[in-house]
PDB file of all heavy atoms in Angstrom:
ATOM      1  N   LEU A 255       1.928   3.840   4.506  1.00 98.00           N
ATOM      2  CA  LEU A 255       1.880   3.271   5.848  1.00 98.00           C
ATOM      3  C   LEU A 255       1.400   1.829   5.776  1.00 98.00           C
ATOM      4  O   LEU A 255       0.622   1.458   4.893  1.00 98.00           O
ATOM      5  CB  LEU A 255       0.964   4.105   6.741  1.00 98.00           C
ATOM      6  CG  LEU A 255       1.473   5.522   7.047  1.00 98.00           C
ATOM      7  CD1 LEU A 255       0.422   6.313   7.818  1.00 98.00           C
ATOM      8  CD2 LEU A 255       2.770   5.484   7.832  1.00 98.00           C
ATOM      9  N   ASP A 256       1.840   1.020   6.707  1.00 98.00           N
ATOM     10  CA  ASP A 256       1.627  -0.424   6.671  1.00 98.00           C
ATOM     11  C   ASP A 256       0.550  -0.807   7.689  1.00 98.00           C
ATOM     12  O   ASP A 256       0.755  -0.685   8.897  1.00 98.00           O
ATOM     13  CB  ASP A 256       2.946  -1.130   7.007  1.00 98.00           C
ATOM     14  CG  ASP A 256       3.011  -2.544   6.488  1.00 98.00           C
ATOM     15  OD1 ASP A 256       1.953  -3.113   6.196  1.00 98.00           O
ATOM     16  OD2 ASP A 256       4.125  -3.072   6.374  1.00 98.00           O
ATOM     17  N   ASP A 257      -0.629  -1.240   7.197  1.00 97.00           N
ATOM     18  CA  ASP A 257      -1.721  -1.719   8.074  1.00 97.00           C
ATOM     19  C   ASP A 257      -2.391  -0.596   8.875  1.00 97.00           C
ATOM     20  O   ASP A 257      -2.809  -0.800  10.009  1.00 97.00           O
ATOM     21  CB  ASP A 257      -1.209  -2.779   9.058  1.00 97.00           C
ATOM     22  CG  ASP A 257      -0.758  -4.058   8.392  1.00 97.00           C
ATOM     23  OD1 ASP A 257      -0.777  -4.124   7.153  1.00 97.00           O
ATOM     24  OD2 ASP A 257      -0.376  -4.998   9.108  1.00 97.00           O
ATOM     25  N   TRP A 258      -2.536   0.570   8.280  1.00 98.00           N
ATOM     26  CA  TRP A 258      -3.134   1.726   8.952  1.00 98.00           C
ATOM     27  C   TRP A 258      -4.655   1.618   8.906  1.00 98.00           C
ATOM     28  O   TRP A 258      -5.255   1.662   7.843  1.00 98.00           O
ATOM     29  CB  TRP A 258      -2.645   2.993   8.245  1.00 98.00           C
ATOM     30  CG  TRP A 258      -3.096   4.295   8.816  1.00 98.00           C
ATOM     31  CD1 TRP A 258      -3.487   4.561  10.094  1.00 98.00           C
ATOM     32  CD2 TRP A 258      -3.177   5.545   8.108  1.00 98.00           C
ATOM     33  NE1 TRP A 258      -3.804   5.888  10.234  1.00 98.00           N
ATOM     34  CE2 TRP A 258      -3.624   6.514   9.028  1.00 98.00           C
ATOM     35  CE3 TRP A 258      -2.926   5.914   6.788  1.00 98.00           C
ATOM     36  CZ2 TRP A 258      -3.820   7.846   8.664  1.00 98.00           C
ATOM     37  CZ3 TRP A 258      -3.115   7.240   6.428  1.00 98.00           C
ATOM     38  CH2 TRP A 258      -3.556   8.191   7.356  1.00 98.00           C
ATOM     39  N   VAL A 302      -3.997  -7.374   1.593  1.00 96.00           N
ATOM     40  CA  VAL A 302      -2.721  -7.610   2.260  1.00 96.00           C
ATOM     41  C   VAL A 302      -1.614  -6.850   1.533  1.00 96.00           C
ATOM     42  O   VAL A 302      -1.809  -6.328   0.436  1.00 96.00           O
ATOM     43  CB  VAL A 302      -2.371  -9.113   2.358  1.00 96.00           C
ATOM     44  CG1 VAL A 302      -3.291  -9.834   3.312  1.00 96.00           C
ATOM     45  CG2 VAL A 302      -2.385  -9.772   0.988  1.00 96.00           C
ATOM     46  N   CYS A 303      -0.434  -6.868   2.137  1.00 96.00           N
ATOM     47  CA  CYS A 303       0.617  -5.912   1.795  1.00 96.00           C
ATOM     48  C   CYS A 303       1.177  -6.022   0.381  1.00 96.00           C
ATOM     49  O   CYS A 303       1.110  -5.082  -0.413  1.00 96.00           O
ATOM     50  CB  CYS A 303       1.773  -6.051   2.778  1.00 96.00           C
ATOM     51  SG  CYS A 303       1.314  -5.982   4.523  1.00 96.00           S
ATOM     52  N   ARG A 307       1.356  -3.273  -2.884  1.00 98.00           N
ATOM     53  CA  ARG A 307       2.606  -2.612  -3.253  1.00 98.00           C
ATOM     54  C   ARG A 307       3.026  -2.991  -4.676  1.00 98.00           C
ATOM     55  O   ARG A 307       3.594  -2.171  -5.407  1.00 98.00           O
ATOM     56  CB  ARG A 307       3.688  -2.978  -2.235  1.00 98.00           C
ATOM     57  CG  ARG A 307       3.380  -2.421  -0.854  1.00 98.00           C
ATOM     58  CD  ARG A 307       4.191  -3.070   0.265  1.00 98.00           C
ATOM     59  NE  ARG A 307       3.672  -2.654   1.548  1.00 98.00           N
ATOM     60  CZ  ARG A 307       4.104  -1.605   2.259  1.00 98.00           C
ATOM     61  NH1 ARG A 307       5.099  -0.864   1.784  1.00 98.00           N
ATOM     62  NH2 ARG A 307       3.563  -1.291   3.407  1.00 98.00           N
ATOM     63  N   ASN A 323       1.177 -13.123  -0.627  1.00 86.00           N
ATOM     64  CA  ASN A 323       2.403 -12.915   0.146  1.00 86.00           C
ATOM     65  C   ASN A 323       3.087 -14.273   0.305  1.00 86.00           C
ATOM     66  O   ASN A 323       2.457 -15.225   0.753  1.00 86.00           O
ATOM     67  CB  ASN A 323       2.078 -12.371   1.539  1.00 86.00           C
ATOM     68  CG  ASN A 323       1.604 -10.943   1.508  1.00 86.00           C
ATOM     69  OD1 ASN A 323       1.985 -10.172   0.638  1.00 86.00           O
ATOM     70  ND2 ASN A 323       0.769 -10.582   2.452  1.00 86.00           N
ATOM     71  N   LYS A 364      10.092  -0.464   3.648  1.00 98.00           N
ATOM     72  CA  LYS A 364       9.682  -1.809   3.263  1.00 98.00           C
ATOM     73  C   LYS A 364       9.680  -1.979   1.746  1.00 98.00           C
ATOM     74  O   LYS A 364       9.179  -1.138   1.014  1.00 98.00           O
ATOM     75  CB  LYS A 364       8.290  -2.080   3.825  1.00 98.00           C
ATOM     76  CG  LYS A 364       7.720  -3.452   3.507  1.00 98.00           C
ATOM     77  CD  LYS A 364       6.426  -3.674   4.267  1.00 98.00           C
ATOM     78  CE  LYS A 364       5.797  -5.019   3.986  1.00 98.00           C
ATOM     79  NZ  LYS A 364       4.622  -5.289   4.847  1.00 98.00           N
ATOM     80  N   HIS A 366       9.279  -5.744  -0.055  1.00 96.00           N
ATOM     81  CA  HIS A 366       8.254  -6.799  -0.098  1.00 96.00           C
ATOM     82  C   HIS A 366       7.695  -7.036  -1.496  1.00 96.00           C
ATOM     83  O   HIS A 366       6.519  -7.323  -1.677  1.00 96.00           O
ATOM     84  CB  HIS A 366       7.110  -6.465   0.873  1.00 96.00           C
ATOM     85  CG  HIS A 366       6.369  -7.692   1.348  1.00 96.00           C
ATOM     86  ND1 HIS A 366       5.123  -7.652   1.925  1.00 96.00           N
ATOM     87  CD2 HIS A 366       6.721  -9.007   1.331  1.00 96.00           C
ATOM     88  CE1 HIS A 366       4.721  -8.866   2.246  1.00 96.00           C
ATOM     89  NE2 HIS A 366       5.682  -9.708   1.892  1.00 96.00           N
ATOM     90  N   TYR A 387      14.188  -2.735   4.336  1.00 97.00           N
ATOM     91  CA  TYR A 387      14.211  -4.190   4.463  1.00 97.00           C
ATOM     92  C   TYR A 387      13.476  -4.809   3.290  1.00 97.00           C
ATOM     93  O   TYR A 387      12.569  -4.219   2.703  1.00 97.00           O
ATOM     94  CB  TYR A 387      13.653  -4.647   5.808  1.00 97.00           C
ATOM     95  CG  TYR A 387      12.251  -4.215   6.156  1.00 97.00           C
ATOM     96  CD1 TYR A 387      11.165  -5.051   5.921  1.00 97.00           C
ATOM     97  CD2 TYR A 387      12.007  -2.989   6.767  1.00 97.00           C
ATOM     98  CE1 TYR A 387       9.876  -4.675   6.272  1.00 97.00           C
ATOM     99  CE2 TYR A 387      10.726  -2.597   7.116  1.00 97.00           C
ATOM    100  CZ  TYR A 387       9.665  -3.445   6.869  1.00 97.00           C
ATOM    101  OH  TYR A 387       8.394  -3.053   7.215  1.00 97.00           O
ATOM    102  N   GLY A 389      11.900  -8.009   3.012  1.00 94.00           N
ATOM    103  CA  GLY A 389      10.769  -8.901   3.209  1.00 94.00           C
ATOM    104  C   GLY A 389       9.530  -8.196   3.717  1.00 94.00           C
ATOM    105  O   GLY A 389       9.358  -6.992   3.554  1.00 94.00           O
ATOM    106  N   GLY A 390       8.657  -8.985   4.362  1.00 93.00           N
ATOM    107  CA  GLY A 390       7.371  -8.463   4.794  1.00 93.00           C
ATOM    108  C   GLY A 390       7.372  -7.797   6.139  1.00 93.00           C
ATOM    109  O   GLY A 390       6.444  -7.058   6.470  1.00 93.00           O
ATOM    110  N   GLY A 391       8.385  -8.047   6.944  1.00 92.00           N
ATOM    111  CA  GLY A 391       8.432  -7.438   8.266  1.00 92.00           C
ATOM    112  C   GLY A 391       9.659  -7.899   9.011  1.00 92.00           C
ATOM    113  O   GLY A 391      10.221  -8.958   8.732  1.00 92.00           O
ATOM    114  N   ASN A 392      10.113  -7.106   9.960  1.00 93.00           N
ATOM    115  CA  ASN A 392      11.239  -7.483  10.807  1.00 93.00           C
ATOM    116  C   ASN A 392      11.063  -6.834  12.175  1.00 93.00           C
ATOM    117  O   ASN A 392      10.085  -6.116  12.423  1.00 93.00           O
ATOM    118  CB  ASN A 392      12.580  -7.095  10.161  1.00 93.00           C
ATOM    119  CG  ASN A 392      12.733  -5.600   9.928  1.00 93.00           C
ATOM    120  OD1 ASN A 392      11.852  -4.803  10.280  1.00 93.00           O
ATOM    121  ND2 ASN A 392      13.834  -5.201   9.318  1.00 93.00           N
ATOM    122  N   HIS A 394      11.620  -4.200  15.032  1.00 96.00           N
ATOM    123  CA  HIS A 394      11.906  -2.761  14.982  1.00 96.00           C
ATOM    124  C   HIS A 394      13.253  -2.403  15.608  1.00 96.00           C
ATOM    125  O   HIS A 394      13.800  -1.334  15.314  1.00 96.00           O
ATOM    126  CB  HIS A 394      10.826  -1.984  15.735  1.00 96.00           C
ATOM    127  CG  HIS A 394       9.494  -1.968  15.062  1.00 96.00           C
ATOM    128  ND1 HIS A 394       9.070  -0.940  14.255  1.00 96.00           N
ATOM    129  CD2 HIS A 394       8.474  -2.856  15.084  1.00 96.00           C
ATOM    130  CE1 HIS A 394       7.843  -1.182  13.812  1.00 96.00           C
ATOM    131  NE2 HIS A 394       7.464  -2.345  14.298  1.00 96.00           N
ATOM    132  N   ASN A 400      10.809 -11.311  11.529  1.00 56.00           N
ATOM    133  CA  ASN A 400       9.914 -11.768  12.582  1.00 56.00           C
ATOM    134  C   ASN A 400       9.177 -13.030  12.150  1.00 56.00           C
ATOM    135  O   ASN A 400       9.419 -13.585  11.085  1.00 56.00           O
ATOM    136  CB  ASN A 400       8.945 -10.649  12.975  1.00 56.00           C
ATOM    137  CG  ASN A 400       8.024 -10.222  11.844  1.00 56.00           C
ATOM    138  OD1 ASN A 400       7.695 -11.020  10.969  1.00 56.00           O
ATOM    139  ND2 ASN A 400       7.623  -8.969  11.844  1.00 56.00           N
ATOM    140  N   LEU A 402       6.391 -13.469  10.939  1.00 40.00           N
ATOM    141  CA  LEU A 402       5.623 -13.377   9.708  1.00 40.00           C
ATOM    142  C   LEU A 402       6.516 -13.565   8.484  1.00 40.00           C
ATOM    143  O   LEU A 402       6.030 -13.736   7.385  1.00 40.00           O
ATOM    144  CB  LEU A 402       4.914 -12.019   9.624  1.00 40.00           C
ATOM    145  CG  LEU A 402       3.906 -11.751  10.731  1.00 40.00           C
ATOM    146  CD1 LEU A 402       3.262 -10.391  10.523  1.00 40.00           C
ATOM    147  CD2 LEU A 402       2.836 -12.828  10.767  1.00 40.00           C
ATOM    148  N   SER A 403       7.825 -13.508   8.679  1.00 43.00           N
ATOM    149  CA  SER A 403       8.758 -13.677   7.564  1.00 43.00           C
ATOM    150  C   SER A 403       9.694 -14.814   7.923  1.00 43.00           C
ATOM    151  O   SER A 403      10.640 -14.639   8.661  1.00 43.00           O
ATOM    152  CB  SER A 403       9.552 -12.390   7.327  1.00 43.00           C
ATOM    153  OG  SER A 403       8.692 -11.308   7.101  1.00 43.00           O
ATOM    154  N   TYR A 440      15.737   2.812  16.697  1.00 97.00           N
ATOM    155  CA  TYR A 440      14.396   2.376  16.300  1.00 97.00           C
ATOM    156  C   TYR A 440      14.335   2.440  14.775  1.00 97.00           C
ATOM    157  O   TYR A 440      14.737   3.431  14.160  1.00 97.00           O
ATOM    158  CB  TYR A 440      13.371   3.311  16.926  1.00 97.00           C
ATOM    159  CG  TYR A 440      11.925   2.934  16.777  1.00 97.00           C
ATOM    160  CD1 TYR A 440      11.450   1.704  17.212  1.00 97.00           C
ATOM    161  CD2 TYR A 440      11.013   3.839  16.230  1.00 97.00           C
ATOM    162  CE1 TYR A 440      10.112   1.374  17.113  1.00 97.00           C
ATOM    163  CE2 TYR A 440       9.666   3.520  16.121  1.00 97.00           C
ATOM    164  CZ  TYR A 440       9.224   2.288  16.562  1.00 97.00           C
ATOM    165  OH  TYR A 440       7.895   1.960  16.459  1.00 97.00           O
ATOM    166  N   ASP A 442      12.106   2.879  12.415  1.00 98.00           N
ATOM    167  CA  ASP A 442      11.454   3.998  11.738  1.00 98.00           C
ATOM    168  C   ASP A 442      12.203   5.300  11.953  1.00 98.00           C
ATOM    169  O   ASP A 442      12.070   6.239  11.149  1.00 98.00           O
ATOM    170  CB  ASP A 442       9.989   4.117  12.171  1.00 98.00           C
ATOM    171  CG  ASP A 442       9.076   3.248  11.316  1.00 98.00           C
ATOM    172  OD1 ASP A 442       9.334   3.148  10.100  1.00 98.00           O
ATOM    173  OD2 ASP A 442       8.126   2.663  11.848  1.00 98.00           O
ATOM    174  N   PRO A 471       7.269   3.237   5.673  1.00 98.00           N
ATOM    175  CA  PRO A 471       7.649   2.960   7.063  1.00 98.00           C
ATOM    176  C   PRO A 471       7.298   1.539   7.488  1.00 98.00           C
ATOM    177  O   PRO A 471       6.441   0.879   6.896  1.00 98.00           O
ATOM    178  CB  PRO A 471       6.817   3.979   7.863  1.00 98.00           C
ATOM    179  CG  PRO A 471       6.449   5.046   6.880  1.00 98.00           C
ATOM    180  CD  PRO A 471       6.317   4.348   5.563  1.00 98.00           C
ATOM    181  N   HIS A 472       7.953   1.086   8.539  1.00 97.00           N
ATOM    182  CA  HIS A 472       7.573  -0.190   9.151  1.00 97.00           C
ATOM    183  C   HIS A 472       6.198  -0.047   9.814  1.00 97.00           C
ATOM    184  O   HIS A 472       5.374  -0.953   9.741  1.00 97.00           O
ATOM    185  CB  HIS A 472       8.622  -0.594  10.185  1.00 97.00           C
ATOM    186  CG  HIS A 472       8.449  -1.994  10.698  1.00 97.00           C
ATOM    187  ND1 HIS A 472       9.509  -2.764  11.087  1.00 97.00           N
ATOM    188  CD2 HIS A 472       7.352  -2.764  10.889  1.00 97.00           C
ATOM    189  CE1 HIS A 472       9.069  -3.952  11.493  1.00 97.00           C
ATOM    190  NE2 HIS A 472       7.769  -3.969  11.376  1.00 97.00           N
ATOM    191  N   ALA A 473       5.988   1.057  10.458  1.00 96.00           N
ATOM    192  CA  ALA A 473       4.711   1.307  11.136  1.00 96.00           C
ATOM    193  C   ALA A 473       3.569   1.317  10.129  1.00 96.00           C
ATOM    194  O   ALA A 473       3.729   1.791   9.012  1.00 96.00           O
ATOM    195  CB  ALA A 473       4.764   2.643  11.869  1.00 96.00           C
ATOM    196  N   VAL A 474       2.411   0.809  10.518  1.00 95.00           N
ATOM    197  CA  VAL A 474       2.086   0.380  11.876  1.00 95.00           C
ATOM    198  C   VAL A 474       1.890  -1.135  11.927  1.00 95.00           C
ATOM    199  O   VAL A 474       1.013  -1.641  12.612  1.00 95.00           O
ATOM    200  CB  VAL A 474       0.834   1.109  12.381  1.00 95.00           C
ATOM    201  CG1 VAL A 474       1.184   2.543  12.734  1.00 95.00           C
ATOM    202  CG2 VAL A 474      -0.289   1.115  11.334  1.00 95.00           C
ATOM    203  N   HIS A 475       2.750  -1.836  11.227  1.00 95.00           N
ATOM    204  CA  HIS A 475       2.719  -3.291  11.105  1.00 95.00           C
ATOM    205  C   HIS A 475       3.259  -3.932  12.388  1.00 95.00           C
ATOM    206  O   HIS A 475       4.151  -3.385  13.041  1.00 95.00           O
ATOM    207  CB  HIS A 475       3.592  -3.682   9.911  1.00 95.00           C
ATOM    208  CG  HIS A 475       3.419  -5.072   9.413  1.00 95.00           C
ATOM    209  ND1 HIS A 475       3.936  -6.172  10.064  1.00 95.00           N
ATOM    210  CD2 HIS A 475       2.821  -5.560   8.293  1.00 95.00           C
ATOM    211  CE1 HIS A 475       3.660  -7.266   9.382  1.00 95.00           C
ATOM    212  NE2 HIS A 475       2.975  -6.925   8.294  1.00 95.00           N
ATOM    213  N   VAL A 476       2.726  -5.117  12.710  1.00 93.00           N
ATOM    214  CA  VAL A 476       3.293  -5.877  13.817  1.00 93.00           C
ATOM    215  C   VAL A 476       4.720  -6.311  13.483  1.00 93.00           C
ATOM    216  O   VAL A 476       5.061  -6.404  12.297  1.00 93.00           O
ATOM    217  CB  VAL A 476       2.427  -7.123  14.129  1.00 93.00           C
ATOM    218  CG1 VAL A 476       1.065  -6.709  14.605  1.00 93.00           C
ATOM    219  CG2 VAL A 476       2.328  -8.052  12.929  1.00 93.00           C
ATOM    220  N   PRO A 477       5.567  -6.555  14.472  1.00 93.00           N
ATOM    221  CA  PRO A 477       5.292  -6.476  15.898  1.00 93.00           C
ATOM    222  C   PRO A 477       5.188  -5.029  16.371  1.00 93.00           C
ATOM    223  O   PRO A 477       5.967  -4.174  15.926  1.00 93.00           O
ATOM    224  CB  PRO A 477       6.499  -7.165  16.527  1.00 93.00           C
ATOM    225  CG  PRO A 477       7.614  -6.947  15.542  1.00 93.00           C
ATOM    226  CD  PRO A 477       6.959  -6.992  14.195  1.00 93.00           C
ATOM    227  N   LEU A 478       4.203  -4.760  17.213  1.00 96.00           N
ATOM    228  CA  LEU A 478       4.015  -3.412  17.747  1.00 96.00           C
ATOM    229  C   LEU A 478       5.028  -3.203  18.876  1.00 96.00           C
ATOM    230  O   LEU A 478       4.879  -3.721  19.972  1.00 96.00           O
ATOM    231  CB  LEU A 478       2.585  -3.241  18.251  1.00 96.00           C
ATOM    232  CG  LEU A 478       1.497  -3.410  17.178  1.00 96.00           C
ATOM    233  CD1 LEU A 478       0.110  -3.362  17.813  1.00 96.00           C
ATOM    234  CD2 LEU A 478       1.616  -2.356  16.087  1.00 96.00           C
ATOM    235  N   GLN A 479       6.062  -2.424  18.576  1.00 96.00           N
ATOM    236  CA  GLN A 479       7.178  -2.241  19.514  1.00 96.00           C
ATOM    237  C   GLN A 479       7.520  -0.760  19.643  1.00 96.00           C
ATOM    238  O   GLN A 479       8.612  -0.330  19.283  1.00 96.00           O
ATOM    239  CB  GLN A 479       8.403  -3.012  19.021  1.00 96.00           C
ATOM    240  CG  GLN A 479       8.195  -4.514  18.900  1.00 96.00           C
ATOM    241  CD  GLN A 479       9.390  -5.197  18.244  1.00 96.00           C
ATOM    242  OE1 GLN A 479       9.915  -4.712  17.243  1.00 96.00           O
ATOM    243  NE2 GLN A 479       9.811  -6.306  18.813  1.00 96.00           N
ATOM    244  N   TYR A 499      -0.647   0.371  19.410  1.00 97.00           N
ATOM    245  CA  TYR A 499      -1.009   0.816  18.060  1.00 97.00           C
ATOM    246  C   TYR A 499      -1.218   2.333  18.039  1.00 97.00           C
ATOM    247  O   TYR A 499      -0.728   3.026  17.141  1.00 97.00           O
ATOM    248  CB  TYR A 499      -2.270   0.089  17.598  1.00 97.00           C
ATOM    249  CG  TYR A 499      -2.548   0.216  16.119  1.00 97.00           C
ATOM    250  CD1 TYR A 499      -2.135  -0.762  15.222  1.00 97.00           C
ATOM    251  CD2 TYR A 499      -3.227   1.318  15.605  1.00 97.00           C
ATOM    252  CE1 TYR A 499      -2.387  -0.653  13.867  1.00 97.00           C
ATOM    253  CE2 TYR A 499      -3.486   1.442  14.253  1.00 97.00           C
ATOM    254  CZ  TYR A 499      -3.064   0.458  13.389  1.00 97.00           C
ATOM    255  OH  TYR A 499      -3.310   0.581  12.042  1.00 97.00           O
ATOM    256  N   VAL A 502       2.226   4.026  18.035  1.00 98.00           N
ATOM    257  CA  VAL A 502       3.017   4.031  16.801  1.00 98.00           C
ATOM    258  C   VAL A 502       2.360   4.894  15.724  1.00 98.00           C
ATOM    259  O   VAL A 502       3.062   5.504  14.904  1.00 98.00           O
ATOM    260  CB  VAL A 502       3.288   2.599  16.291  1.00 98.00           C
ATOM    261  CG1 VAL A 502       4.189   1.857  17.266  1.00 98.00           C
ATOM    262  CG2 VAL A 502       2.027   1.817  16.042  1.00 98.00           C
ATOM    263  N   VAL A 503       1.026   4.981  15.705  1.00 98.00           N
ATOM    264  CA  VAL A 503       0.361   5.873  14.752  1.00 98.00           C
ATOM    265  C   VAL A 503       0.736   7.321  15.052  1.00 98.00           C
ATOM    266  O   VAL A 503       1.083   8.103  14.158  1.00 98.00           O
ATOM    267  CB  VAL A 503      -1.161   5.678  14.780  1.00 98.00           C
ATOM    268  CG1 VAL A 503      -1.861   6.785  13.989  1.00 98.00           C
ATOM    269  CG2 VAL A 503      -1.544   4.323  14.196  1.00 98.00           C
ATOM    270  N   MET A 506       4.315   8.019  13.978  1.00 98.00           N
ATOM    271  CA  MET A 506       4.480   8.250  12.547  1.00 98.00           C
ATOM    272  C   MET A 506       3.944   9.615  12.139  1.00 98.00           C
ATOM    273  O   MET A 506       4.505  10.273  11.261  1.00 98.00           O
ATOM    274  CB  MET A 506       3.784   7.151  11.741  1.00 98.00           C
ATOM    275  CG  MET A 506       4.570   5.862  11.624  1.00 98.00           C
ATOM    276  SD  MET A 506       6.309   6.093  11.120  1.00 98.00           S
ATOM    277  CE  MET A 506       6.126   7.076   9.636  1.00 98.00           C
ATOM    278  N   ASP A 533      -1.473   0.539   2.814  1.00 98.00           N
ATOM    279  CA  ASP A 533      -1.435  -0.535   1.829  1.00 98.00           C
ATOM    280  C   ASP A 533      -2.619  -1.478   1.953  1.00 98.00           C
ATOM    281  O   ASP A 533      -2.936  -2.219   1.026  1.00 98.00           O
ATOM    282  CB  ASP A 533      -0.122  -1.312   1.921  1.00 98.00           C
ATOM    283  CG  ASP A 533       0.096  -1.994   3.270  1.00 98.00           C
ATOM    284  OD1 ASP A 533      -0.650  -1.705   4.226  1.00 98.00           O
ATOM    285  OD2 ASP A 533       1.032  -2.813   3.373  1.00 98.00           O
ATOM    286  N   ASN A 534      -3.289  -1.494   3.091  1.00 97.00           N
ATOM    287  CA  ASN A 534      -4.503  -2.302   3.299  1.00 97.00           C
ATOM    288  C   ASN A 534      -5.148  -1.850   4.596  1.00 97.00           C
ATOM    289  O   ASN A 534      -4.636  -0.963   5.287  1.00 97.00           O
ATOM    290  CB  ASN A 534      -4.189  -3.805   3.349  1.00 97.00           C
ATOM    291  CG  ASN A 534      -3.012  -4.182   4.223  1.00 97.00           C
ATOM    292  OD1 ASN A 534      -1.976  -4.615   3.732  1.00 97.00           O
ATOM    293  ND2 ASN A 534      -3.160  -4.010   5.530  1.00 97.00           N
ATOM    294  N   PRO A 537      -5.363  -4.501  10.952  1.00 93.00           N
ATOM    295  CA  PRO A 537      -5.676  -5.785  11.574  1.00 93.00           C
ATOM    296  C   PRO A 537      -6.279  -5.576  12.963  1.00 93.00           C
ATOM    297  O   PRO A 537      -5.634  -5.018  13.843  1.00 93.00           O
ATOM    298  CB  PRO A 537      -4.313  -6.478  11.655  1.00 93.00           C
ATOM    299  CG  PRO A 537      -3.336  -5.348  11.771  1.00 93.00           C
ATOM    300  CD  PRO A 537      -3.928  -4.182  11.026  1.00 93.00           C
ATOM    301  N   ASP A 541      -3.675  -9.023  18.782  1.00 85.00           N
ATOM    302  CA  ASP A 541      -2.323  -8.492  18.759  1.00 85.00           C
ATOM    303  C   ASP A 541      -2.090  -7.524  17.605  1.00 85.00           C
ATOM    304  O   ASP A 541      -0.993  -7.012  17.430  1.00 85.00           O
ATOM    305  CB  ASP A 541      -1.296  -9.620  18.712  1.00 85.00           C
ATOM    306  CG  ASP A 541      -1.442 -10.516  17.486  1.00 85.00           C
ATOM    307  OD1 ASP A 541      -2.435 -10.339  16.752  1.00 85.00           O
ATOM    308  OD2 ASP A 541      -0.573 -11.375  17.260  1.00 85.00           O
ATOM    309  N   GLY A 542      -3.125  -7.262  16.795  1.00 90.00           N
ATOM    310  CA  GLY A 542      -2.979  -6.345  15.675  1.00 90.00           C
ATOM    311  C   GLY A 542      -3.161  -4.896  16.053  1.00 90.00           C
ATOM    312  O   GLY A 542      -2.477  -4.011  15.552  1.00 90.00           O
ATOM    313  N   LYS A 553      -7.887  -6.213   7.766  1.00 93.00           N
ATOM    314  CA  LYS A 553      -6.846  -6.733   6.894  1.00 93.00           C
ATOM    315  C   LYS A 553      -7.051  -8.222   6.625  1.00 93.00           C
ATOM    316  O   LYS A 553      -7.393  -8.988   7.512  1.00 93.00           O
ATOM    317  CB  LYS A 553      -5.481  -6.519   7.545  1.00 93.00           C
ATOM    318  CG  LYS A 553      -4.319  -7.145   6.780  1.00 93.00           C
ATOM    319  CD  LYS A 553      -3.003  -6.946   7.508  1.00 93.00           C
ATOM    320  CE  LYS A 553      -1.859  -7.625   6.742  1.00 93.00           C
ATOM    321  NZ  LYS A 553      -0.546  -7.391   7.385  1.00 93.00           N
TER     322      LYS A 553
END
Side-chain angles (χ1 to χ4, degrees):
L255 293 174
D256 203 341
D257 294 3
W258 183 25
V302 291
C303 308
R307 294 164 190 268
N323 289 330
K364 180 172 180 173
H366 205 198
Y387 57 96
N392 61 2
H394 290 264
N400 63 29
L402 298 181
S403 303
Y440 187 56
D442 273 323
H472 190 149
V474 285
H475 195 284
V476 296
L478 299 174
Q479 299 173 316
Y499 194 95
V502 294
V503 169
M506 280 311 307
D533 61 348
N534 46 248
D541 60 352
K553 174 182 178 177

